[in-house]
Amino acid sequence: STYRLLIPQTWNSFIMPSLLGCRIKSRMSLYVEGNNVVESRKDAMALKKSFEEFKIGDEVEAIVTKMSPRWIFCDINAEKDMYLEAPKKLRELLKLKETVKAKITAIDLEKRQGRVEIPDLEQLVQDRMETPKKFEEFRVGDGVEAVIRLKNRKGTFCDIKAEKNVLLGGNMSLTRLLKLDERVKAKIKAIDLEKRQALIEIPDLEQ
């Protein structure tokens, strides 16, 4: 999906010169497409791939963009969002703007539409339906199985079946190599009960 940002003039000396390479002289709109920031919606759409660049069976990262009780659409960086084939049980568990690992199952070049599915659907449903544990139930040093759920500029976040996803510590150049939905053995390094957050690490990350 493409997001529009309204940038006030007061930001011109701090944030935006590094993004645009110039000063902002007045209030303006920017469009965010993935990790890219551009000045017009036309430029944002140009970053999208055409359906011809995809093929059935391709594995993609899909961001949930639209949801209803009957359907879900995902952004896979294509010219249009694709329909996610999933039973009602899963539709109730997914969240808006969540990123999932998916596979393309159909592409209609004439109608300019496509479909994706989640290969590890049963495992995903099972993970989501388990009752999460509160941070008070964990101890520093506990071994846990962590599933990579989110990667952004702040770091890599994992599901350890706790009340919230937790931050994965360690060398960021190595943690970035981990893939979404990948399962790793980790240990709890720190727990902050006041902020309701925790930090984990992978003992053998370099290996």
Side-chain angles (χ1 to χ4, degrees):
S1 294
T2 302
Y3 302 93
R4 185 186 183 194
L5 302 178
L6 292 177
I7 308 301
Q9 185 177 1
T10 52
W11 286 19
N12 64 351
S13 300
F14 301 95
I15 300 174
M16 304 317 297
S18 61
L19 295 175
L20 297 180
C22 63
R23 284 184 177 274
I24 299 173
K25 298 181 180 179
S26 62
R27 181 181 173 90
M28 67 179 295
S29 296
L30 295 179
Y31 294 86
V32 180
E33 183 60 52
N35 294 324
N36 300 289
V37 179
V38 293
E39 294 184 67
S40 71
R41 185 178 296 275
K42 182 178 179 181
D43 292 336
M45 293 305 297
L47 297 171
K48 296 283 191 177
K49 294 182 179 180
S50 67
F51 282 136
E52 283 80 0
E53 297 180 69
F54 295 92
K55 61 180 183 294
I56 294 176
D58 280 353
E59 293 186 350
V60 294
E61 288 186 2
I63 302 174
V64 178
T65 55
K66 303 181 187 72
M67 298 182 68
S68 85
R70 300 180 60 184
W71 45 256
I72 295 176
F73 281 88
C74 296
D75 178 8
I76 65 165
N77 199 36
E79 61 188 67
K80 288 174 62 179
D81 290 353
M82 287 194 175
Y83 174 72
L84 173 63
E85 298 177 305
K88 181 180 179 181
K89 182 185 295 185
L90 178 62
R91 293 199 300 268
E92 294 173 347
L93 296 173
L94 290 175
K95 298 177 181 178
L96 197 63
K97 297 184 180 180
E98 181 177 358
T99 301
V100 294
K101 189 175 180 180
K103 183 178 290 187
I104 296 176
T105 59
I107 300 175
D108 190 325
L109 297 180
E110 183 176 348
K111 295 182 178 179
R112 313 308 293 176
Q113 60 189 30
R115 291 173 177 259
V116 296
E117 67 176 7
I118 300 176
D120 300 325
L121 181 59
E122 292 184 5
Q123 184 63 55
L124 181 60
V125 171
Q126 181 180 342
D127 289 346
R128 299 296 173 86
M129 293 187 70
E130 290 185 15
T131 303
K133 297 167 65 176
K134 293 186 176 297
F135 284 131
E136 283 84 355
E137 299 179 65
F138 294 93
R139 295 289 182 274
V140 172
D142 282 354
V144 293
E145 182 179 64
V147 182
I148 311 300
R149 291 299 188 205
L150 176 67
K151 298 169 71 175
N152 58 29
R153 293 179 181 178
K154 294 182 180 180
T156 299
F157 292 84
C158 302
D159 177 7
I160 61 168
K161 296 183 175 62
E163 59 188 71
K164 289 170 58 178
N165 288 342
V166 300
L167 179 65
L168 174 61
N171 190 325
M172 290 191 69
S173 63
L174 295 178
T175 57
R176 287 195 185 111
L177 299 177
L178 298 171
K179 299 178 181 179
L180 285 176
D181 295 331
E182 183 174 351
R183 294 173 179 271
V184 294
K185 297 293 185 182
K187 285 188 176 181
I188 296 179
K189 187 175 182 180
I191 301 173
D192 189 325
L193 296 178
E194 183 177 349
K195 294 182 178 180
R196 312 309 296 175
Q197 61 190 29
L199 177 70
I200 63 172
E201 62 181 0
I202 301 176
D204 55 352
L205 179 61
E206 294 185 1
Q207 299 180 10

